Amino acid sequence: MRNRILTFLALALATTLPLAGAAVPTAQALTDPMYGAPTAGQCYNVSGATVTGSPSTTAPTVPCSGPHTVLIVAVVQVPATMTLSGDAFDRFTITSCLPSELRASGGYPLRFGRSSYGGYVFIPTTAQQDQGAHWVTCMLGIKQGTNAVRRITGPYPHLSLKPPAELTVCLRSDYSATNCAATHTWHPVTGSTKVTSTLANIGTKAAAVCRNRFGTPRGWAYYWKMVQPMSTFVVTCLRR
């Protein structure tokens, strides 16, 4: 599976987070596993399509004080015995990246789970891998529909109890996650709920949470986001 899963959304449709690659080469040893790795605290100003779907990019990092689309929250060396794709790597990126994404958002799991913040990852380009690079970059961005992220200028705010519309999750008509300042069809209407589950069962559990609140037939949608690696999720119910 090319993409790592961190954020998931309504009606059993999942938003997956891509494994792409970007960094500026440095004068390091050719066998250095951190060859060309960017630095946490830098940003990228690349398109949403690149962030969500491109396997690599040669774009340089930019100061976060200017326009950008994602913030680098951590850069982690991948074990030498692990390939940069597959189920084991997906689990590694979740475990490695999610805590840093949560801290960057302010450290409140319920607020993070209900927010439009999304986690994304880059891996080294093929050229960098040829020089020994074996790392993953963890990034935070603001969702804005399928294959899109919101471009901002300045820092990513910590989430408050009542965040602004651009930091609140809504869903579009195709059930892709977006922020509520952008065009959307579904908006959150109740307090979000923490749920202990597995990836295999969270869709069923999320649907049950919203069904218990709104009944059937369904005039509602649900969105769920992992907030503790492989175990804890936040479920948000939405209505038109």
Side-chain angles (χ1 to χ4, degrees):
M1 180 173 66
R2 167 182 283 174
N3 296 338
R4 82 175 169 91
I5 305 174
L6 277 189
T7 303
F8 305 86
L9 56 110
L11 303 181
L13 297 179
T15 297
T16 55
L17 305 182
L19 303 178
V24 179
T26 61
Q28 296 170 303
L30 297 185
T31 57
D32 185 354
M34 297 304 290
Y35 176 85
T39 303
Q42 297 176 329
C43 287
Y44 283 109
N45 187 28
V46 293
S47 69
T50 297
V51 172
T52 62
S54 177
S56 64
T57 179
T58 57
T61 56
V62 299
C64 298
S65 57
H68 58 275
T69 49
V70 286
L71 164 68
I72 299 170
V73 296
V75 183
V76 183
Q77 182 176 330
V78 178
T81 56
M82 182 179 293
T83 62
L84 298 179
S85 62
D87 291 345
F89 178 69
D90 292 338
R91 289 191 295 270
F92 176 82
T93 59
I94 291 171
T95 302
S96 300
C97 293
L98 184 53
S100 295
E101 293 160 4
L102 179 59
R103 283 193 298 271
S105 74
Y108 295 94
L110 275 172
R111 297 179 189 180
F112 182 64
R114 189 181 173 89
S115 77
S116 56
Y117 278 140
Y120 305 91
V121 298
F122 283 169
I123 60 172
T125 63
T126 300
Q128 290 166 342
Q129 291 182 50
D130 288 344
Q131 302 301 313
H134 207 64
W135 44 259
V136 60
T137 298
C138 312
M139 300 177 296
L140 190 73
I142 300 173
K143 291 179 173 295
Q144 193 149 303
T146 303
N147 299 327
V149 290
R150 186 179 181 90
R151 179 170 279 106
I152 70 169
T153 299
Y156 287 88
H158 284 182
L159 295 166
S160 62
L161 189 60
K162 293 184 178 180
E166 60 266 24
L167 296 181
T168 302
V169 71
C170 282
L171 301 179
R172 298 174 60 167
S173 59
D174 62 356
Y175 304 110
S176 62
T178 189
N179 63 82
C180 294
T183 301
H184 61 275
T185 301
W186 304 86
H187 60 273
V189 293
T190 64
S192 299
T193 303
K194 273 188 180 181
V195 174
T196 300
S197 182
T198 63
L199 284 174
N201 295 327
I202 184 57
T204 299
K205 288 193 174 183
V209 168
C210 297
R211 187 181 300 110
N212 288 340
R213 292 182 179 176
F214 299 118
T216 54
R218 294 202 319 199
W220 46 265
Y222 64 79
Y223 172 88
W224 54 270
K225 182 185 293 183
M226 188 186 296
V227 296
Q228 181 70 27
M230 311 309 293
S231 64
T232 307
F233 305 79
V234 169
V235 175
T236 301
C237 304
L238 306 96
R239 305 201 77 166
R240 292 180 184 272

